[in-house]
mmCIF file of all heavy atoms in Angstrom:
data_model
loop_
_atom_site.group_PDB
_atom_site.id
_atom_site.type_symbol
_atom_site.label_atom_id
_atom_site.label_comp_id
_atom_site.label_asym_id
_atom_site.label_seq_id
_atom_site.Cartn_x
_atom_site.Cartn_y
_atom_site.Cartn_z
ATOM 1 N N TYR A 310 144.431 106.216 198.297
ATOM 2 C CA TYR A 310 143.951 105.990 196.932
ATOM 3 C C TYR A 310 144.309 107.196 196.076
ATOM 4 O O TYR A 310 144.075 108.343 196.480
ATOM 5 C CB TYR A 310 142.437 105.770 196.897
ATOM 6 C CG TYR A 310 141.994 105.150 195.593
ATOM 7 C CD1 TYR A 310 141.935 103.766 195.458
ATOM 8 C CD2 TYR A 310 141.699 105.937 194.484
ATOM 9 C CE1 TYR A 310 141.578 103.188 194.261
ATOM 10 C CE2 TYR A 310 141.347 105.360 193.288
ATOM 11 C CZ TYR A 310 141.286 103.985 193.172
ATOM 12 O OH TYR A 310 140.954 103.411 191.980
ATOM 13 N N SER A 311 144.860 106.930 194.911
ATOM 14 C CA SER A 311 145.245 108.002 194.000
ATOM 15 C C SER A 311 144.321 107.991 192.785
ATOM 16 O O SER A 311 144.209 106.990 192.091
ATOM 17 C CB SER A 311 146.695 107.825 193.552
ATOM 18 O OG SER A 311 147.042 108.852 192.653
ATOM 19 N N HIS A 312 143.675 109.131 192.540
ATOM 20 C CA HIS A 312 142.703 109.240 191.452
ATOM 21 C C HIS A 312 143.314 109.761 190.152
ATOM 22 O O HIS A 312 142.605 109.924 189.167
ATOM 23 C CB HIS A 312 141.566 110.182 191.870
ATOM 24 C CG HIS A 312 140.852 109.743 193.102
ATOM 25 N ND1 HIS A 312 139.778 108.882 193.079
ATOM 26 C CD2 HIS A 312 141.064 110.032 194.423
ATOM 27 C CE1 HIS A 312 139.362 108.664 194.316
ATOM 28 N NE2 HIS A 312 140.117 109.344 195.141
ATOM 29 N N GLY A 313 144.603 110.040 190.158
ATOM 30 C CA GLY A 313 145.221 110.613 188.973
ATOM 31 C C GLY A 313 145.073 112.124 188.954
ATOM 32 O O GLY A 313 144.500 112.728 189.866
ATOM 33 N N PRO A 314 145.590 112.770 187.913
ATOM 34 C CA PRO A 314 145.535 114.238 187.845
ATOM 35 C C PRO A 314 144.108 114.753 187.758
ATOM 36 O O PRO A 314 143.236 114.117 187.164
ATOM 37 C CB PRO A 314 146.324 114.554 186.577
ATOM 38 C CG PRO A 314 146.212 113.318 185.748
ATOM 39 C CD PRO A 314 146.211 112.178 186.714
ATOM 40 N N VAL A 315 143.886 115.934 188.322
ATOM 41 C CA VAL A 315 142.552 116.520 188.368
ATOM 42 C C VAL A 315 142.053 116.903 186.975
ATOM 43 O O VAL A 315 140.867 117.206 186.810
ATOM 44 C CB VAL A 315 142.550 117.720 189.347
ATOM 45 C CG1 VAL A 315 141.223 118.453 189.358
ATOM 46 C CG2 VAL A 315 142.867 117.234 190.757
ATOM 47 N N HIS A 316 142.922 116.850 185.976
ATOM 48 C CA HIS A 316 142.479 117.072 184.593
ATOM 49 C C HIS A 316 141.253 116.224 184.264
ATOM 50 O O HIS A 316 140.353 116.675 183.553
ATOM 51 C CB HIS A 316 143.601 116.711 183.615
ATOM 52 C CG HIS A 316 144.549 117.829 183.320
ATOM 53 N ND1 HIS A 316 144.144 119.014 182.735
ATOM 54 C CD2 HIS A 316 145.891 117.932 183.501
ATOM 55 C CE1 HIS A 316 145.188 119.802 182.569
ATOM 56 N NE2 HIS A 316 146.260 119.183 183.022
ATOM 57 N N ARG A 317 141.216 114.986 184.757
ATOM 58 C CA ARG A 317 140.105 114.090 184.392
ATOM 59 C C ARG A 317 138.784 114.613 184.928
ATOM 60 O O ARG A 317 137.785 114.685 184.192
ATOM 61 C CB ARG A 317 140.369 112.673 184.918
ATOM 62 C CG ARG A 317 139.227 111.709 184.605
ATOM 63 C CD ARG A 317 139.629 110.275 184.899
ATOM 64 N NE ARG A 317 139.932 110.048 186.293
ATOM 65 C CZ ARG A 317 139.025 109.822 187.247
ATOM 66 N NH1 ARG A 317 137.733 109.840 186.942
ATOM 67 N NH2 ARG A 317 139.391 109.598 188.483
ATOM 68 N N GLN A 318 138.742 114.970 186.209
ATOM 69 C CA GLN A 318 137.500 115.500 186.765
ATOM 70 C C GLN A 318 137.129 116.830 186.109
ATOM 71 O O GLN A 318 135.949 117.110 185.875
ATOM 72 C CB GLN A 318 137.634 115.674 188.280
ATOM 73 C CG GLN A 318 137.674 114.362 189.049
ATOM 74 C CD GLN A 318 139.080 113.860 189.270
ATOM 75 O OE1 GLN A 318 140.031 114.334 188.653
ATOM 76 N NE2 GLN A 318 139.229 112.890 190.162
ATOM 77 N N LEU A 319 138.125 117.648 185.792
ATOM 78 C CA LEU A 319 137.849 118.908 185.101
ATOM 79 C C LEU A 319 137.239 118.652 183.724
ATOM 80 O O LEU A 319 136.373 119.406 183.270
ATOM 81 C CB LEU A 319 139.136 119.728 184.967
ATOM 82 C CG LEU A 319 139.629 120.388 186.252
ATOM 83 C CD1 LEU A 319 141.048 120.916 186.063
ATOM 84 C CD2 LEU A 319 138.708 121.512 186.693
ATOM 85 N N GLY A 320 137.668 117.573 183.067
ATOM 86 C CA GLY A 320 137.071 117.214 181.785
ATOM 87 C C GLY A 320 135.602 116.863 181.920
ATOM 88 O O GLY A 320 134.771 117.276 181.106
ATOM 89 N N VAL A 321 135.264 116.112 182.977
ATOM 90 C CA VAL A 321 133.865 115.746 183.220
ATOM 91 C C VAL A 321 133.029 116.997 183.481
ATOM 92 O O VAL A 321 131.920 117.153 182.945
ATOM 93 C CB VAL A 321 133.768 114.766 184.413
ATOM 94 C CG1 VAL A 321 132.308 114.498 184.769
ATOM 95 C CG2 VAL A 321 134.477 113.456 184.079
ATOM 96 N N ILE A 322 133.557 117.908 184.300
ATOM 97 C CA ILE A 322 132.813 119.131 184.630
ATOM 98 C C ILE A 322 132.630 119.992 183.387
ATOM 99 O O ILE A 322 131.528 120.483 183.100
ATOM 100 C CB ILE A 322 133.542 119.934 185.720
ATOM 101 C CG1 ILE A 322 133.706 119.114 186.992
ATOM 102 C CG2 ILE A 322 132.787 121.222 186.023
ATOM 103 C CD1 ILE A 322 134.651 119.735 188.008
ATOM 104 N N ALA A 323 133.724 120.202 182.639
ATOM 105 C CA ALA A 323 133.660 121.057 181.452
ATOM 106 C C ALA A 323 132.652 120.526 180.447
ATOM 107 O O ALA A 323 131.888 121.286 179.840
ATOM 108 C CB ALA A 323 135.044 121.180 180.818
ATOM 109 N N ALA A 324 132.625 119.208 180.263
ATOM 110 C CA ALA A 324 131.674 118.614 179.321
ATOM 111 C C ALA A 324 130.242 118.856 179.777
ATOM 112 O O ALA A 324 129.363 119.183 178.970
ATOM 113 C CB ALA A 324 131.940 117.116 179.172
ATOM 114 N N ALA A 325 129.989 118.708 181.077
ATOM 115 C CA ALA A 325 128.638 118.921 181.605
ATOM 116 C C ALA A 325 128.200 120.375 181.442
ATOM 117 O O ALA A 325 127.010 120.657 181.291
ATOM 118 C CB ALA A 325 128.582 118.512 183.075
ATOM 119 N N LEU A 326 129.166 121.285 181.442
ATOM 120 C CA LEU A 326 128.868 122.703 181.261
ATOM 121 C C LEU A 326 128.758 123.091 179.791
ATOM 122 O O LEU A 326 128.488 124.242 179.466
ATOM 123 C CB LEU A 326 129.941 123.560 181.946
ATOM 124 C CG LEU A 326 129.942 123.534 183.481
ATOM 125 C CD1 LEU A 326 131.166 124.250 184.030
ATOM 126 C CD2 LEU A 326 128.675 124.172 184.036
ATOM 127 N N GLY A 327 128.996 122.113 178.903
ATOM 128 C CA GLY A 327 128.883 122.362 177.472
ATOM 129 C C GLY A 327 130.159 122.842 176.811
ATOM 130 O O GLY A 327 130.154 123.177 175.623
ATOM 131 N N HIS A 328 131.294 122.841 177.536
ATOM 132 C CA HIS A 328 132.564 123.307 176.973
ATOM 133 C C HIS A 328 133.336 122.092 176.437
ATOM 134 O O HIS A 328 134.312 121.627 177.041
ATOM 135 C CB HIS A 328 133.372 124.040 178.037
ATOM 136 C CG HIS A 328 132.618 125.147 178.712
ATOM 137 N ND1 HIS A 328 131.880 126.076 178.013
ATOM 138 C CD2 HIS A 328 132.477 125.471 180.033
ATOM 139 C CE1 HIS A 328 131.328 126.927 178.858
ATOM 140 N NE2 HIS A 328 131.653 126.576 180.093
ATOM 141 N N THR A 329 132.901 121.585 175.310
ATOM 142 C CA THR A 329 133.427 120.305 174.820
ATOM 143 C C THR A 329 134.899 120.378 174.419
ATOM 144 O O THR A 329 135.651 119.423 174.651
ATOM 145 C CB THR A 329 132.589 119.804 173.638
ATOM 146 O OG1 THR A 329 132.536 120.826 172.628
ATOM 147 C CG2 THR A 329 131.171 119.483 174.081
ATOM 148 N N ALA A 330 135.320 121.474 173.803
ATOM 149 C CA ALA A 330 136.722 121.587 173.398
ATOM 150 C C ALA A 330 137.638 121.603 174.618
ATOM 151 O O ALA A 330 138.678 120.931 174.643
ATOM 152 C CB ALA A 330 136.933 122.842 172.554
ATOM 153 N N THR A 331 137.236 122.358 175.643
ATOM 154 C CA THR A 331 138.023 122.399 176.878
ATOM 155 C C THR A 331 138.039 121.029 177.544
ATOM 156 O O THR A 331 139.079 120.587 178.045
ATOM 157 C CB THR A 331 137.426 123.440 177.846
ATOM 158 O OG1 THR A 331 137.452 124.725 177.220
ATOM 159 C CG2 THR A 331 138.214 123.496 179.139
ATOM 160 N N ALA A 332 136.899 120.359 177.546
ATOM 161 C CA ALA A 332 136.833 119.017 178.142
ATOM 162 C C ALA A 332 137.790 118.068 177.432
ATOM 163 O O ALA A 332 138.513 117.301 178.081
ATOM 164 C CB ALA A 332 135.407 118.488 178.063
ATOM 165 N N ALA A 333 137.806 118.115 176.109
ATOM 166 C CA ALA A 333 138.696 117.237 175.340
ATOM 167 C C ALA A 333 140.157 117.497 175.698
ATOM 168 O O ALA A 333 140.961 116.555 175.824
ATOM 169 C CB ALA A 333 138.465 117.440 173.848
ATOM 170 N N GLU A 334 140.517 118.763 175.888
ATOM 171 C CA GLU A 334 141.898 119.098 176.266
ATOM 172 C C GLU A 334 142.242 118.505 177.630
ATOM 173 O O GLU A 334 143.348 117.982 177.834
ATOM 174 C CB GLU A 334 142.073 120.614 176.286
ATOM 175 C CG GLU A 334 142.009 121.262 174.900
ATOM 176 C CD GLU A 334 142.032 122.779 174.971
ATOM 177 O OE1 GLU A 334 142.112 123.318 176.109
ATOM 178 O OE2 GLU A 334 141.975 123.419 173.909
ATOM 179 N N HIS A 335 141.317 118.603 178.565
ATOM 180 C CA HIS A 335 141.565 118.029 179.896
ATOM 181 C C HIS A 335 141.713 116.513 179.817
ATOM 182 O O HIS A 335 142.618 115.933 180.442
ATOM 183 C CB HIS A 335 140.418 118.374 180.846
ATOM 184 C CG HIS A 335 140.452 119.775 181.365
ATOM 185 N ND1 HIS A 335 141.531 120.309 182.029
ATOM 186 C CD2 HIS A 335 139.513 120.775 181.329
ATOM 187 C CE1 HIS A 335 141.276 121.556 182.400
ATOM 188 N NE2 HIS A 335 140.053 121.866 181.981
ATOM 189 N N PHE A 336 140.840 115.855 179.062
ATOM 190 C CA PHE A 336 140.938 114.390 178.950
ATOM 191 C C PHE A 336 142.245 113.980 178.272
ATOM 192 O O PHE A 336 142.871 112.991 178.666
ATOM 193 C CB PHE A 336 139.738 113.837 178.179
ATOM 194 C CG PHE A 336 138.453 113.842 178.956
ATOM 195 C CD1 PHE A 336 137.299 114.415 178.425
ATOM 196 C CD2 PHE A 336 138.382 113.272 180.218
ATOM 197 C CE1 PHE A 336 136.107 114.427 179.136
ATOM 198 C CE2 PHE A 336 137.197 113.274 180.944
ATOM 199 C CZ PHE A 336 136.051 113.858 180.403
ATOM 200 N N ASP A 337 142.663 114.732 177.259
ATOM 201 C CA ASP A 337 143.939 114.441 176.595
ATOM 202 C C ASP A 337 145.095 114.536 177.589
ATOM 203 O O ASP A 337 145.991 113.683 177.610
ATOM 204 C CB ASP A 337 144.174 115.410 175.436
ATOM 205 C CG ASP A 337 143.294 115.116 174.233
ATOM 206 O OD1 ASP A 337 142.759 113.988 174.147
ATOM 207 O OD2 ASP A 337 143.141 116.010 173.373
ATOM 208 N N ALA A 338 145.077 115.599 178.403
ATOM 209 C CA ALA A 338 146.152 115.788 179.380
ATOM 210 C C ALA A 338 146.137 114.684 180.435
ATOM 211 O O ALA A 338 147.195 114.149 180.809
ATOM 212 C CB ALA A 338 146.011 117.152 180.046
ATOM 213 N N ALA A 339 144.941 114.323 180.920
ATOM 214 C CA ALA A 339 144.837 113.267 181.923
ATOM 215 C C ALA A 339 145.366 111.941 181.380
ATOM 216 O O ALA A 339 146.103 111.224 182.065
ATOM 217 C CB ALA A 339 143.383 113.110 182.364
ATOM 218 N N ARG A 340 144.999 111.644 180.150
ATOM 219 C CA ARG A 340 145.474 110.392 179.552
ATOM 220 C C ARG A 340 146.994 110.393 179.437
ATOM 221 O O ARG A 340 147.659 109.410 179.780
ATOM 222 C CB ARG A 340 144.852 110.215 178.172
ATOM 223 C CG ARG A 340 145.399 108.995 177.434
ATOM 224 C CD ARG A 340 144.800 108.838 176.068
ATOM 225 N NE ARG A 340 145.385 107.671 175.397
ATOM 226 C CZ ARG A 340 144.805 107.031 174.418
ATOM 227 N NH1 ARG A 340 143.621 107.411 173.985
ATOM 228 N NH2 ARG A 340 145.387 105.996 173.860
ATOM 229 N N ARG A 341 147.553 111.491 178.949
ATOM 230 C CA ARG A 341 149.004 111.578 178.750
ATOM 231 C C ARG A 341 149.746 111.409 180.077
ATOM 232 O O ARG A 341 150.729 110.652 180.165
ATOM 233 C CB ARG A 341 149.338 112.937 178.122
ATOM 234 C CG ARG A 341 150.809 113.141 177.821
ATOM 235 C CD ARG A 341 151.018 114.426 177.036
ATOM 236 N NE ARG A 341 150.578 115.620 177.788
ATOM 237 C CZ ARG A 341 149.481 116.317 177.509
ATOM 238 N NH1 ARG A 341 148.702 115.965 176.498
ATOM 239 N NH2 ARG A 341 149.166 117.379 178.226
ATOM 240 N N ILE A 342 149.277 112.067 181.125
ATOM 241 C CA ILE A 342 149.950 111.994 182.426
ATOM 242 C C ILE A 342 149.810 110.603 183.037
ATOM 243 O O ILE A 342 150.775 110.041 183.586
ATOM 244 C CB ILE A 342 149.369 113.069 183.371
ATOM 245 C CG1 ILE A 342 149.705 114.468 182.840
ATOM 246 C CG2 ILE A 342 149.912 112.891 184.784
ATOM 247 C CD1 ILE A 342 148.962 115.584 183.555
ATOM 248 N N ASN A 343 148.634 110.011 182.929
ATOM 249 C CA ASN A 343 148.433 108.659 183.472
ATOM 250 C C ASN A 343 149.263 107.623 182.723
ATOM 251 O O ASN A 343 149.797 106.684 183.338
ATOM 252 C CB ASN A 343 146.948 108.291 183.412
ATOM 253 C CG ASN A 343 146.138 108.954 184.501
ATOM 254 O OD1 ASN A 343 146.588 109.087 185.630
ATOM 255 N ND2 ASN A 343 144.931 109.389 184.173
ATOM 256 N N GLU A 344 149.368 107.772 181.412
ATOM 257 C CA GLU A 344 150.197 106.844 180.639
ATOM 258 C C GLU A 344 151.661 106.952 181.057
ATOM 259 O O GLU A 344 152.359 105.943 181.190
ATOM 260 C CB GLU A 344 150.040 107.119 179.145
ATOM 261 C CG GLU A 344 148.731 106.611 178.559
ATOM 262 C CD GLU A 344 148.619 106.855 177.072
ATOM 263 O OE1 GLU A 344 149.237 107.841 176.583
ATOM 264 O OE2 GLU A 344 147.915 106.087 176.393
ATOM 265 N N ARG A 345 152.119 108.190 181.257
ATOM 266 C CA ARG A 345 153.510 108.390 181.661
ATOM 267 C C ARG A 345 153.788 107.748 183.016
ATOM 268 O O ARG A 345 154.894 107.271 183.279
ATOM 269 C CB ARG A 345 153.806 109.893 181.706
ATOM 270 C CG ARG A 345 155.269 110.226 181.945
ATOM 271 C CD ARG A 345 155.556 111.687 181.679
ATOM 272 N NE ARG A 345 154.848 112.563 182.611
ATOM 273 C CZ ARG A 345 154.037 113.540 182.238
ATOM 274 N NH1 ARG A 345 153.805 113.766 180.952
ATOM 275 N NH2 ARG A 345 153.447 114.301 183.140
#
């Protein structure tokens, strides 16, 4: 099973830690890589 790039999980962690800007960057990267 492939979960995609770890950017997505890092986005979830960063958001939970209150680092919303960093989380958004991770989610953007995960989306871009998964779309590609």
Side-chain angles (χ1 to χ4, degrees):
Y310 197 90
S311 179
H312 302 272
V315 175
H316 272 299
R317 178 169 63 82
Q318 289 92 346
L319 286 168
V321 174
I322 301 169
L326 290 172
H328 307 314
T329 55
T331 300
E334 291 174 1
H335 283 304
F336 286 128
D337 286 342
R340 175 181 179 158
R341 182 172 61 253
I342 294 169
N343 283 322
E344 284 182 332
R345 187 167 64 235

